[in-house]
Amino acid sequence: MNKQLRKAVIAGNWKMNKTPSETTALINEIKPLVQDADCDVVVCVPYVDLQAALEATKGSNIKVGAENCHWEKSGAYTGEISTGMLREMGVDYVIIGHSERRTYFGETDATVQKRVRAALDAGMTVILCVGETLEQREQGITNEVVGIQTKIALGGVSKEELSRIIIAYEPVWAIGTGRTATSEQANEVNHAIRMIIADLYDSAAADAFVVQYGGSMNAGNAAELLAQPDVDGGLIGGASLKAPDFAEIVKAASK
Ligand code: PGA
């Protein structure tokens, strides 16, 4: 499996942080620090910050993403946002199936699949999150859990569409806990995900497919994680809210 075939993607997941004016300020801080990046750089921000993020990133190498989207085009879904709304704004990326959505907001593999379908149909690029809980890891069923999440989410996705999907392997026990997976653990599951892609599509598709790691990735541990053969980038929560830390991770991915 040839890592050279893949361009790393470093994506920030701001979660429920930053107001529009704080968004402008943080992006203005990040911009000069990542302008020479040799990887793709994305910031995924709350819906109300998207406009500010799009304006602040104009003319830069930073792409903007949302943190979720609904599967219907419009209708009686109070509080939801459609892909058409995001596209009209100029938003190209969207995180789908984050474990916080699954844990706190009743997201299931079935709704994740519908959201992936809607985002692809709208021409967006999806950052699809999968990952096991601590209990599942201790039961020895990590690869099964991640495999089922991946296979259901990719149901109906064509080989051509696969180039607009990134998978972020995020062990739930490592998110926001300061407890990172070891680089070996991260690589092992990322590799297993790549094998699923080879199985569902073919080995060329698997070779080209970007699999990120996420879960307490920071300026201190990014280089080691990103040096692993199957870790093609990161989805960064906490550390993406500090410009120097985020820039350090981008630098580690650019090597
Ligand atoms: P964290 O979050 O980096 O703060 O652990 C990662 C994520 O939830 O995407």
Side-chain angles (χ1 to χ4, degrees):
M1 292 288 171
N2 194 345
K3 198 171 182 175
Q4 263 60 46
L5 293 171
R6 305 183 288 273
K7 190 170 187 191
V9 182
I10 297 296
N13 172 16
W14 288 13
K15 311 193 180 191
M16 195 174 74
N17 291 292
K18 303 293 172 189
T19 65
S21 62
E22 289 168 348
T23 297
T24 305
L26 180 54
I27 289 176
N28 284 339
E29 221 189 311
I30 294 172
K31 249 189 318 195
L33 303 178
V34 304
Q35 62 185 359
D36 299 322
D38 189 20
C39 64
D40 285 336
V41 182
V42 186
V43 290
C44 298
V45 305
Y47 292 129
V48 295
D49 296 334
L50 286 168
Q51 195 59 50
L54 288 162
E55 275 161 30
T57 54
K58 220 172 259 170
S60 80
N61 58 335
I62 304 175
K63 295 163 179 140
V64 174
E67 297 176 12
N68 196 12
C69 65
H70 197 261
W71 57 85
E72 291 292 345
K73 289 191 166 65
S74 62
Y77 301 98
T78 303
E80 291 289 323
I81 299 285
S82 74
T83 54
M85 296 169 184
L86 296 171
R87 289 300 276 160
E88 190 177 309
M89 293 183 80
V91 176
D92 292 333
Y93 284 75
V94 60
I95 296 173
I96 295 177
H98 191 278
S99 69
E100 285 149 19
R101 302 282 334 157
R102 296 179 192 255
T103 305
Y104 306 134
F105 303 102
E107 197 82 61
T108 65
D109 288 333
T111 57
V112 167
Q113 191 268 335
K114 289 204 273 186
R115 291 182 208 265
V116 168
R117 184 69 263 154
L120 290 175
D121 287 346
M124 301 181 82
T125 295
V126 173
I127 299 175
L128 166 66
C129 301
V130 298
E132 83 288 3
T133 62
L134 186 57
E135 197 183 7
Q136 290 164 336
R137 174 161 284 269
E138 283 167 352
Q139 282 178 296
I141 57 171
T142 296
N143 287 1
E144 285 90 338
V145 169
V146 167
I148 284 172
Q149 290 172 341
T150 301
K151 285 180 182 173
I152 294 176
L154 295 183
V157 172
S158 72
K159 197 162 117 182
E160 290 65 42
E161 288 171 325
L162 211 55
S163 63
R164 285 191 286 114
I165 296 197
I166 292 163
I167 288 185
Y169 165 55
E170 298 205 309
V172 178
W173 47 272
I175 296 176
T177 57
R179 188 176 161 188
T180 322
T182 64
S183 48
E184 291 75 23
Q185 284 171 327
N187 194 65
E188 192 187 321
V189 183
N190 277 33
H191 184 72
I193 292 169
R194 196 177 310 288
M195 290 300 99
I196 291 169
I197 301 296
D199 212 34
L200 292 176
Y201 301 91
D202 56 36
S203 65
D207 255 342
F209 194 76
V210 172
V211 189
Q212 299 173 317
Y213 167 78
S216 298
M217 193 189 269
N218 58 41
N221 60 26
E224 193 190 329
L225 285 159
L226 293 166
Q228 295 297 312
D230 280 292
V231 178
D232 309 315
L235 183 58
I236 327 294
S240 74
L241 297 169
K242 295 176 214 125
D245 294 38
F246 188 62
E248 197 59 37
I249 299 169
V250 167
K251 207 166 121 198
S254 299
K255 279 183 190 141

